[in-house]
Amino acid sequence: MNRKKNILIVGSNYYQEIYDNLVEEATLLVEEKNLLCHLETVTGVFEIPSIITFCKHKFDGYIALGCVVRGETSHYDYVCSESARALMDISLEGFAIGYGILTVENYDQALIRSKTVANKGLGKGRVAALACINQI
């Protein structure tokens, strides 16, 4: 008998409401697919690739969830590009990564994209979970 696939969800709770939406959607889909999941929470998006790197080979797939809202400084650009680059590097090593990091202009955009709304598409947590599961 095959063992159940095990997925690590790593989420940034810097924006708690967005985090809650993203994690809820990802977790629900993983459970619908009858897979196991474990959740690790970090403060910022920048830390997500580190946690996944520390846990490489312990899980069958990884889901990165978080949100970066553009501010008045270049910090947004660094966090977005470097976290995306690090996650892409991990995926190119052959690891299944679902990318669910919202990069938005304002909080309202993040709120809309963080949850599934009828007739408006899937929330990013669910999309990231689907991407990870499809890679597995």
Side-chain angles (χ1 to χ4, degrees):
M1 186 166 144
N2 291 338
R3 70 169 180 79
K4 280 188 177 183
K5 300 295 184 188
N6 199 4
I7 295 175
L8 175 63
I9 298 172
V10 183
S12 163
N13 66 354
Y14 190 84
Y15 297 102
Q16 189 67 49
E17 183 178 19
I18 305 304
Y19 165 86
D20 291 342
N21 291 343
L22 293 169
V23 169
E24 179 181 11
E25 294 229 339
T27 302
L28 285 173
L29 181 66
V30 169
E31 291 171 354
E32 283 173 22
K33 299 292 185 178
N34 199 29
L35 305 172
L36 301 172
C37 73
H38 179 79
L39 174 64
E40 288 293 330
T41 302
V42 296
T43 303
V45 164
F46 203 75
E47 292 79 31
I48 293 172
S50 299
I51 299 301
I52 292 174
T53 298
F54 297 149
C55 296
K56 284 191 318 192
H57 304 291
K58 295 179 183 174
F59 294 88
D60 299 296
Y62 305 86
I63 302 171
L65 301 175
C67 177
V68 185
V69 177
R70 185 179 301 278
E72 296 178 8
T73 69
S74 58
H75 181 258
Y76 169 91
D77 298 311
Y78 296 120
V79 172
C80 293
S81 64
E82 289 304 312
S83 60
R85 182 201 50 79
L87 290 168
M88 179 57 76
D89 288 348
I90 295 167
S91 74
L92 292 174
E93 292 177 37
F95 295 94
I97 304 281
Y99 187 84
I101 298 174
L102 301 174
T103 54
V104 296
E105 297 297 318
N106 57 59
Y107 189 83
D108 289 338
Q109 284 180 347
L111 197 55
I112 291 166
R113 295 181 64 206
S114 68
K115 57 188 172 186
T116 296
V117 179
N119 301 319
K120 297 210 182 213
L122 299 177
K124 191 64 172 176
R126 191 168 179 87
V127 171
L130 278 170
C132 177
I133 292 166
N134 287 338
Q135 289 177 67
I136 293 171

